[in-house]
Amino acid sequence: MAAEQAAPGAAAARAAGVIEVYVAQRLDVASVRRCQAILSQALRRQPARLIVDLSDCPGVDATGIGVLLDAHRALWRQGSQLTLRAVPPEVWRMFVLARVDHVFDVDPGPAQRGHPSPVPPQAG
C-alpha cells in the first residue's frame, strides 16, 4: 500500500475534502498494520470523501475487508463517504463471498468507464 497519492490537482482535491489512497499490494493480514496506519492518518483529516484506489491490488482477505469496513464505518459516523475505485475482479469476488459487495460505494475508475466490467458501477 502506498501512502497518500499525490496526484496532479491534489491540492484542489484536498481543498474540496477528498483524499485518495492508492493500494499496490495485497490487503491481507501481512499488510494490515500499514494499511490501518495509512487509513487512520487519512481519517484524522476528516475528509468529506476518502477514495481507495484498488486498481493494482492483487487480492484481499478477511482482514483486509475488515480494515475497509472499519474505514467505511468511521467515515459514515462523521458524515463522510468511502469510495473504492477500480476494484479488480478477484477482489470483487472476495467482497461478494464475504457478502459486503452491497456496502461499498464503487467507482469503476477511468479505464473501465463505458466498458463492461464484473464490478457494478454503484455497489453501495
Side-chain angles (χ1 to χ4, degrees), residues 51-104:
I51 299 171
V52 177
D53 186 321
L54 297 172
S55 57
D56 290 325
C57 178
V60 65
D61 71 4
T63 309
I65 291 171
V67 168
L68 293 173
L69 286 171
D70 288 346
H72 168 74
R73 280 188 289 268
L75 286 160
W76 182 80
R77 280 192 295 266
Q78 68 186 35
S80 301
Q81 179 181 16
L82 173 70
T83 298
L84 303 180
R85 178 182 293 151
V87 180
E90 50 279 348
V91 173
W92 186 254
R93 278 192 288 279
M94 290 302 296
F95 290 165
V96 171
L97 288 171
R99 298 182 180 187
V100 298
D101 52 306
H102 64 283
V103 173
F104 298 115

Side-chain angles (χ1 to χ4, degrees), residues 101-119:
D101 52 306
H102 64 283
V103 173
F104 298 115
D105 175 54
V106 177
D107 174 357
Q112 296 174 345
R113 284 193 185 104
H115 300 287
S117 171
V119 179

